[in-house]
Amino acid sequence: MNDARTDWATWHDAYADPHSQLSRRLQIVQAQIRAALPARPTAPFGIVSICAGRGEDLIGSLRDYASADLVRARLVELDQRNVTDMRRDAQEAGLALEIVRGDAADPRLYDGAVPADLVLLCGVLGNISDEDARSTIHSLPQFCKPGATVIWTRSRRPPDRTPALRRRFRAAGFEELQFIAPQNALFSVGSCRFRGSTQPPRPGRLFTFTR
């Protein structure tokens, strides 16, 4: 993630506090990722992470995953500092991840990695316009294999947009698996399964960050 008005590298510093909302959200996202990973895969398992940040969600989930060698993951992130940290952490964890520095809104950066079995859309939907959120969700069938899982996050600050987002996922062919919205926090984490057929890629940006 990157924006002139938000420092998306220092934004991650809140993860250093294990009691912060970001850390709590991260734990829930990692649990959803682990639930989506196959217990005994017999073929490569494809993952894409859109606006990957430092990749803590995926790297942390794969550290102890016995079949990590079968994961084929592409993580796309624009901020060079985050990319540097992500590459270091992946190497230290012994993970062979494809980390791409670039604008995650450019669908061409996912060529060869989609359709995937798992799509991470964390930290995106709350930083783009409602119209971009709608179009991004309706673009996800281009990224997903039939049966793929999508994990997404969104703040519930007023006005809470998550009910509309959940309806849009359903309209795009997704079945909700979980929607976790702690009462004492503003974040929410959703996971859903794609019940449709993969759609061909379409040109054009997916979204534009608003902050």
Side-chain angles (χ1 to χ4, degrees):
M1 298 175 291
N2 195 31
D3 185 277
R5 291 164 290 175
T6 301
D7 188 326
W8 290 112
T10 60
W11 180 88
H12 289 78
D13 293 346
Y15 285 121
D17 177 2
H19 303 294
S20 70
Q21 289 206 24
L22 275 180
S23 291
R24 292 174 60 197
R25 190 187 79 173
L26 175 64
Q27 293 171 5
I28 294 172
V29 170
Q30 288 177 335
Q32 295 301 305
I33 292 173
R34 293 186 183 104
L37 294 170
R40 296 179 181 83
T42 57
F45 186 82
I47 303 175
V48 295
S49 181
I50 300 171
C51 293
R54 293 180 184 168
E56 292 101 329
D57 47 10
L58 186 57
I59 293 171
S61 302
L62 293 177
R63 287 182 189 275
D64 300 319
Y65 180 49
S67 300
D69 58 321
L70 282 176
V71 169
R72 302 292 181 266
R74 182 177 299 177
L75 301 87
V76 182
E77 168 62 27
L78 183 57
D79 191 291
Q80 181 60 63
R81 295 162 297 174
N82 288 337
V83 169
T84 298
D85 289 344
M86 185 164 31
R87 287 174 174 162
R88 179 202 62 215
D89 292 347
Q91 183 177 18
E92 290 177 354
L95 300 172
L97 307 179
E98 184 182 6
I99 297 169
V100 175
R101 180 176 183 261
D103 183 353
D106 182 352
R108 295 172 298 181
L109 295 183
Y110 305 94
D111 289 349
V114 295
D117 300 286
L118 173 62
V119 176
L120 302 181
L121 191 66
C122 300
V124 177
L125 296 176
N127 294 305
I128 61 180
S129 69
D130 288 345
E131 178 58 28
D132 275 1
R134 184 199 65 79
S135 62
T136 297
I137 291 171
H138 283 273
S139 294
L140 288 174
Q142 304 171 50
F143 289 74
C144 295
K145 293 180 180 178
T149 300
V150 172
I151 299 172
W152 60 277
T153 64
R154 177 64 160 91
S155 169
R156 289 176 289 117
R157 290 185 182 90
D160 183 3
R161 303 297 190 193
T162 58
L165 294 176
R166 296 166 74 185
R167 290 194 297 270
R168 288 168 180 169
F169 273 105
R170 289 193 292 270
F174 291 87
E175 173 193 10
E176 187 169 273
L177 300 175
Q178 288 200 61
F179 179 73
I180 302 170
Q183 291 185 351
N184 59 348
L186 288 174
F187 69 81
S188 59
V189 179
S191 64
C192 52
R193 179 163 293 140
F194 184 47
R195 293 303 190 186
S197 300
T198 304
Q199 296 180 3
R202 293 177 295 181
R205 290 179 58 81
L206 296 172
F207 51 77
T208 298
F209 264 45
T210 57
R211 67 182 185 90

